[in-house]
Amino acid sequence: MANLNIDSKQERTYDAIVIGSGMSGGWAAKELTEKGLKTLVLERGRDVKHMEDYPTTNMMPWEFKHRGEIPRDIAEENPVVSRCYAFKEDAKHFFVLDTEHPYVQQEPFDWIRGYQVGGKSLLWARQTQRWSPYDFEGPARDGFAVEWPISYEDIAPWYSHVEKFVGISGNKDGIPQLPDGEFLPPMDLTCVESYFKEQMSEHYPERPVIIGRCAHLTEPQPIHLEQGRGQCMYRNICQRGCPYGAYFSSNSSTIPWAAKTGNMTLRPHSVVDSIIYDEQQERAVGVRVVDANTKETVEYYADIIFLNASALNSNMILMNSTSDRFLDGLGNDSGLLGKYVAFHNYRGTISAEYEGFMDRTTSGRRPNGGYIPRFRNVFSQETDFLRGYAAGLSAHRSQVRDTSGAGQILKENLLNPSPGPWRVGSHMMGETIPKESNYVALDPEKRDEWGMPLLNVSVEYDDNDEKMLEDFFEQMSEMYDKAGFTNIRTRDSEQAPGLDIHEMGGVRMGKDPETSLLNRWNQLHACKNVFVTDGACMTSTGTQNPSLTYMALTARSANYAVEELNKGNL
């Protein structure tokens, strides 16, 4: 029996373990397996195979039983996820239901999750902007959080590395606060968006308007064809999963790429309970897993562990990884684990109409929009709030349907709408300031059906966020007015934090082990063979959609980990 146990342990031993198969986990798997490491990828949800498991991707609108809507009883039972814009009948199977995975809201917080292979990479908005030096230098310059241990120059080569493999559509715009990258041909602005861009260059030269940079293949390169991915068809139903692989997801790209090396083992239905720390070896030696179906506990072992379970789940796993050495969670010598959680403020929207270009309209379904990079407090402090906001931009002609008549006449009227006025809209993407009072913690009493403590979430807006929101309304209204837009309306959605789906922090990077948990390579200061490279690692939030930065940080750390492993340092 002893030999059988040894064999069993050997069968559960790998060079590396990656916890999570989403945006950053997929990249860890790709980089580690490419370097020859036998890698176990653990995913708490089910498997979702590219093309095979997109059940609604080719369905017509009339084929949906509820015409695309969520039935009232499901919506009422699951109020949090029902507030997400993409939680509709065509994609609801990729979302976590509130009833199945409860958590505790100390303050209102909408935690949107996707538990399956690929995670939320199936559902993301695909916007991919680089951070700039002004983002990495922000906390030190403006005196909040802690200083980032890396600069833009440290990560720039890894942005390029990721962009070439993912495929990013965009223009080289030459904007200091939004560095250019490795771009495929850009999508186009509509005529009204282009007009607005011209107006802003005349009235506000420091406020550029560009087409969004997005992870869609507008002109696939050999590396994308090698992944089996094809050109974007402009269907704009990406949330169903793209059978062409035209937008980047772990399912269409990094996970099958890692599998192709022969070095990856993928284990779905694996709820990670904790990381196992060996006090004699002074290092992590493995991961404790609860099988999601059988509830059986299994341990797996490896030399290095990448934690990519998504920002708040990575916090939760570290907090649940206790030992005599780490009574309050793995690597938590500073006592800051779970603190300084931040997000993006998406509360503000503005809409208007434009009476020009009535002889033009749009065609196709562009899965992208215009983008206004941050223009407040970029080069110096100029307002009574810290940091700033970026904004989206869209302009399209509405459809007017004539509902008069009856019978065949009514049918013809409904089937042949005419273009209405141009409608213009923007939404804010505001940077929030990480604070110790915004935190997550394990509930001392409540547990889920797999025995994990529920997560307590206590995250709120602050006065800085309110001032920033008012400034967004004021500045954008002024900009819209300068462009000659009419019927300008602003709206505060008053949505709770979390609905932006950009939660970050809790395991922040920094230079000092007393004020941070991760070093410049995303290693736990106190446990060097554990790397955290998802949103949990973020020291501050910037205004850019964060996924590109997670992927670049992960690729950088994975390559460093392999180098250190080969040197015998891990």
Side-chain angles (χ1 to χ4, degrees):
M1 287 300 292
N3 286 338
L4 287 175
N5 287 336
I6 291 172
D7 291 342
S8 176
K9 183 172 183 179
Q10 287 176 341
E11 289 173 359
R12 288 180 280 119
T13 300
Y14 299 82
D15 297 322
I17 293 174
V18 177
I19 303 171
S21 63
M23 196 68 74
S24 62
W27 266 93
K30 171 190 174 293
E31 298 294 315
L32 296 172
T33 56
E34 275 185 330
K35 299 295 185 300
L37 269 61
K38 295 295 183 184
T39 302
L40 173 66
V41 178
L42 297 169
E43 166 55 50
R44 67 175 296 154
R46 64 188 173 97
D47 196 4
V48 172
K49 287 187 168 56
H50 179 51
M51 292 194 287
E52 296 179 24
D53 294 319
Y54 305 153
T56 61
T57 189
N58 288 320
M59 287 176 64
M60 294 297 173
W62 55 85
E63 295 180 294
F64 289 94
K65 183 177 179 182
H66 302 98
R67 296 297 185 265
E69 298 302 316
I70 297 293
R72 176 178 291 182
D73 58 336
I74 295 177
E76 290 178 348
E77 289 174 0
N78 300 276
V80 171
V81 69
S82 294
R83 287 191 279 270
C84 178
Y85 70 98
F87 184 67
K88 303 294 183 187
E89 190 175 21
D90 63 348
K92 70 179 190 308
H93 44 283
F94 292 144
F95 285 90
V96 164
L97 296 177
D98 309 356
T99 50
E100 295 176 351
H101 297 276
Y103 62 101
V104 181
Q105 301 180 60
Q106 299 291 347
E107 302 293 339
F109 185 89
D110 291 340
W111 190 13
I112 308 300
R113 295 159 285 172
Y115 290 165
Q116 61 260 323
V117 169
K120 289 179 289 188
S121 76
L122 285 164
L123 298 165
W124 67 314
R126 309 166 305 283
Q127 290 293 301
T128 42
Q129 311 97 8
R130 291 187 179 200
W131 275 36
S132 75
Y134 305 103
D135 297 299
F136 287 102
E137 295 165 3
R141 189 195 79 175
D142 293 340
F144 67 94
V146 293
E147 185 177 355
W148 275 88
I150 60 173
S151 67
Y152 174 73
E153 287 69 28
D154 291 317
I155 197 173
W158 296 100
Y159 276 136
S160 293
H161 178 75
V162 168
E163 288 164 344
K164 290 174 185 174
F165 191 83
V166 167
I168 305 296
S169 161
N171 263 318
K172 289 187 180 294
D173 300 293
I175 302 168
Q177 66 269 39
L178 202 75
D180 293 330
E182 313 290 338
F183 294 146
L184 303 174
M187 296 180 182
D188 294 324
L189 293 170
T190 67
C191 60
V192 172
E193 292 164 355
S194 294
Y195 163 78
F196 184 68
K197 175 178 181 174
E198 293 168 3
Q199 290 294 304
M200 292 306 99
S201 67
E202 178 181 341
H203 297 290
Y204 303 93
E206 76 288 0
R207 300 183 183 185
V209 178
I210 65 173
I211 184 67
R213 298 165 178 178
C214 62
H216 283 257
L217 299 181
T218 52
E219 187 176 284
Q221 300 300 299
I223 187 62
H224 308 126
L225 299 175
E226 193 177 346
Q227 295 170 43
R229 300 170 58 203
Q231 186 159 342
C232 180
M233 297 289 122
Y234 285 59
R235 302 191 322 155
N236 200 19
I237 47 176
C238 313
Q239 70 280 0
R240 300 181 186 181
C242 180
Y244 307 101
Y247 78 85
F248 172 84
S249 69
S250 297
N251 310 68
S252 66
S253 181
T254 46
I255 292 295
W257 190 268
K260 197 166 59 174
T261 66
N263 291 324
M264 184 186 78
T265 299
L266 176 63
R267 193 186 195 284
H269 304 294
S270 299
V271 179
V272 171
D273 173 272
S274 54
I275 295 171
I276 305 166
Y277 181 79
D278 187 301
E279 295 179 18
Q280 291 186 331
Q281 298 184 52
E282 297 183 334
R283 64 200 295 271
V285 294
V287 171
R288 189 172 293 111
V289 169
V290 178
D291 187 287
N293 296 319
T294 67
K295 309 297 194 309
E296 178 189 12
T297 299
V298 189
E299 294 181 352
Y300 295 93
Y301 307 96
D303 292 323
I304 56 175
I305 296 165
F306 269 72
L307 183 51
N308 302 90
S310 79
L312 300 191
N313 276 315
S314 289
N315 274 273
M316 186 163 61
I317 289 170
L318 287 177
M319 287 188 275
N320 205 42
S321 302
T322 56
S323 60
D324 290 340
R325 167 67 180 86
F326 295 108
L327 295 173
D328 297 318
L330 183 61
N332 192 20
D333 286 346
S334 64
L336 298 178
L337 178 60
K339 299 177 181 176
Y340 294 94
V341 171
F343 56 99
H344 281 154
N345 181 356
Y346 270 50
R347 277 170 48 189
T349 58
I350 182 169
S351 62
E353 295 181 358
Y354 185 59
E355 297 175 357
F357 299 106
M358 294 303 287
D359 59 339
R360 303 187 194 180
T361 186
T362 59
S363 64
R365 300 174 181 173
R366 184 189 63 184
N368 194 5
Y371 186 81
I372 305 170
R374 174 184 159 210
F375 55 81
R376 285 303 226 185
N377 302 323
V378 176
F379 306 109
S380 62
Q381 184 62 40
E382 57 194 17
T383 69
D384 64 348
F385 59 87
L386 290 176
R387 313 306 292 165
Y389 48 83
L393 173 71
S394 68
H396 65 280
R397 293 196 71 172
S398 57
Q399 299 288 306
V400 177
R401 285 182 167 81
D402 182 357
T403 58
S404 63
Q408 186 62 29
I409 294 175
L410 174 60
K411 186 176 180 181
E412 290 296 325
N413 287 343
L414 294 176
L415 290 173
N416 296 283
S418 58
W422 283 95
R423 299 195 186 281
V424 187
S426 291
H427 63 280
M428 73 176 293
M429 294 169 276
E431 179 170 352
T432 66
I433 304 301
K435 300 179 292 292
E436 188 169 6
S437 56
N438 279 349
Y439 66 91
V440 294
L442 299 183
D443 191 278
E445 299 177 355
K446 299 176 181 174
R447 292 180 178 267
D448 65 18
E449 67 175 278
W450 300 277
M452 285 287 290
L454 299 193
L455 195 67
N456 275 324
V457 184
S458 182
V459 176
E460 294 180 282
Y461 294 103
D462 62 16
D463 185 56
N464 199 71
D465 302 320
E466 301 298 335
K467 289 178 178 176
M468 188 183 295
L469 177 65
E470 288 304 311
D471 191 76
F472 169 81
F473 289 149
E474 180 181 312
Q475 295 302 312
M476 291 298 297
S477 295
E478 186 179 294
M479 291 160 65
Y480 272 29
D481 183 63
K482 289 281 188 184
F485 296 164
T486 58
N487 197 20
I488 299 169
R489 298 179 180 179
T490 60
R491 177 175 177 266
D492 178 0
S493 69
E494 300 183 350
Q495 66 190 50
L499 199 55
D500 47 290
I501 325 180
H502 289 176
E503 61 272 13
M504 298 177 234
V507 197
R508 69 183 181 186
M509 298 173 70
K511 294 181 175 179
D512 186 347
E514 293 188 2
T515 58
S516 62
L517 287 105
L518 303 172
N519 68 12
R520 62 184 279 103
W521 299 106
N522 294 76
Q523 293 170 285
L524 283 173
H525 288 299
C527 187
K528 292 291 196 294
N529 66 332
V530 174
F531 296 77
V532 184
T533 64
D534 60 15
C537 77
M538 298 297 280
T539 305
S540 59
T541 71
T543 58
Q544 296 89 330
N545 299 62
S547 294
L548 180 67
T549 298
Y550 301 166
M551 292 190 276
L553 287 171
T554 301
R556 177 177 180 269
S557 297
N559 280 266
Y560 172 79
V562 174
E563 290 175 5
E564 290 297 290
L565 193 63
N566 291 337
K567 292 176 185 174
N569 293 336
L570 291 176

